[in-house]
Amino acid sequence: AMRIFQQHPGKNADMLRFYTAQRATLSAEDGNDAEAEKLYRAALHLADRMPGKDKTYVAPDMLAGLAKIYARQ
């Protein structure tokens, strides 16, 4: 399902962003920081394409996840 959303995000872009961020969190919790960073960055890219202030509610969580990864390094 993720591959389909990635190829044609359209109206499902926010769902793709959400699940990508969730996968990033799980990867970070498992200690797979490289994968988590990649996924957080992908989720941020999707959030950046969201309309208006919607992105202001979701971006801080992804940035906090990236900060935790960088703090561990």
Side-chain angles (χ1 to χ4, degrees), residues 3-56:
R3 286 187 189 149
I4 294 169
F5 287 154
Q6 289 168 344
Q7 291 172 352
H8 307 285
K11 66 180 180 177
N12 298 314
D14 188 45
M15 203 168 15
L16 177 61
R17 186 239 7 115
F18 174 79
Y19 288 115
T20 301
Q22 293 299 307
R23 286 180 55 215
T25 300
L26 291 173
S27 292
E29 289 172 357
D30 286 343
N32 189 350
D33 290 345
E35 179 70 10
E37 180 180 6
K38 182 180 95 172
L39 290 167
Y40 276 130
R41 289 185 177 278
L44 275 170
H45 177 71
L46 288 165
D48 192 42
R49 295 175 14 199
M50 292 173 67
K53 64 181 181 178
D54 289 346
K55 65 181 114 191
T56 62

